[in-house]
Amino acid sequence: MAHLKQRNFVPLNIAVLTISDTRTLDTDTSGQTLVDRLESAGHVLIDRGLVIDDIYQIRAQVSLWIADPEVQVVLMTGGTGFTARDNTPQAVLPLLDKHVEGFGELFRQVSLAEIGTSTLQSRALAGISNGVLVCCMPGSPGACRTGWDQILAGQLDSRTGPCNFVPHLKPQPEQILQACESRS
């Protein structure tokens, strides 16, 4: 699968969604952690939102971004635990064309060193729908740092080999041009 790797970095259009009944965009440290990291890596924040932990509000916002031709990745934080108000997995799973089982498994594995067996209570998950990678992480800044630093930074970098998610995402016109130029 080494053929999927590119020599040039391809910036992706990423939307960030926070699921919370108590935070606002001003107090959303988890979403801001993701924004800071994706922008530092050279990606583009294309949109940012915050919805309450309601299956249909979550599903509505994610559906809009999945249908948006410019959005390539949706990073979500919050609502992945076991309380009655944690509804992110139930909202997102029906929207996915393909479930990336390894994301949740790997997230819990790398979290073990940080939070011990409490990692069992994370229902982190990811999948692809309409060429958009959707990743759901717990609602703490630490969990967002772990998800980005240990998994997403590499998998959203077109230079990572032997494979990464970039070839599976809907291409943007400028990315198609870059790919053609790098082949010449």
Side-chain angles (χ1 to χ4, degrees):
M1 297 195 97
H3 65 282
L4 297 177
K5 187 173 76 167
Q6 294 184 9
R7 287 177 284 188
N8 300 323
F9 177 77
V10 176
L12 300 174
N13 293 334
I14 301 177
V16 174
L17 181 63
T18 299
I19 293 83
S20 177
D21 293 335
T22 59
R23 295 181 189 160
T24 66
L25 285 176
D26 291 334
T27 62
D28 176 23
T29 54
S30 298
Q32 190 61 49
T33 296
L34 291 171
V35 169
D36 293 344
R37 280 179 155 57
L38 73 88
E39 289 180 337
S40 291
H43 298 294
V44 178
L45 176 67
I46 191 131
D47 203 358
R48 183 173 178 190
L50 189 146
V51 297
I52 64 169
D53 206 331
D54 174 81
I55 290 173
Y56 300 99
Q57 287 191 38
I58 296 167
R59 203 173 280 167
Q61 182 58 66
V62 175
S63 294
L64 284 173
W65 284 336
I66 289 170
D68 187 325
E70 292 187 33
V71 176
Q72 296 171 290
V73 178
V74 174
L75 301 180
M76 300 172 62
T77 176
T80 61
F82 280 96
T83 73
R85 292 293 299 160
D86 289 326
N87 294 303
T88 299
Q90 299 93 295
V92 172
L93 278 170
L95 301 176
L96 302 178
D97 298 331
K98 293 182 180 179
H99 184 198
V100 180
E101 288 88 354
F103 179 83
E105 295 165 3
L106 183 56
F107 182 87
R108 285 180 285 279
Q109 180 184 355
V110 297
S111 296
L112 182 63
E114 298 171 19
I115 62 170
T117 59
S118 294
T119 192
L120 287 173
Q121 294 192 35
S122 167
R123 296 187 298 149
L125 66 100
I128 296 179
S129 189
N130 191 36
V132 176
L133 178 66
V134 179
C135 300
C136 306
M137 293 167 277
S140 73
C144 292
R145 281 189 295 274
T146 297
W148 182 270
D149 296 348
Q150 301 295 319
I151 304 169
L152 295 171
Q155 283 299 298
L156 297 179
D157 188 328
S158 54
R159 301 166 296 186
T160 298
C163 58
N164 58 71
F165 277 106
V166 177
H168 306 291
L169 306 177
K170 61 176 118 174
Q172 298 300 299
E174 64 274 7
Q175 292 168 347
I176 294 169
L177 263 175
Q178 284 177 346
C180 292
E181 289 171 0
S182 71
R183 289 184 189 142
S184 334

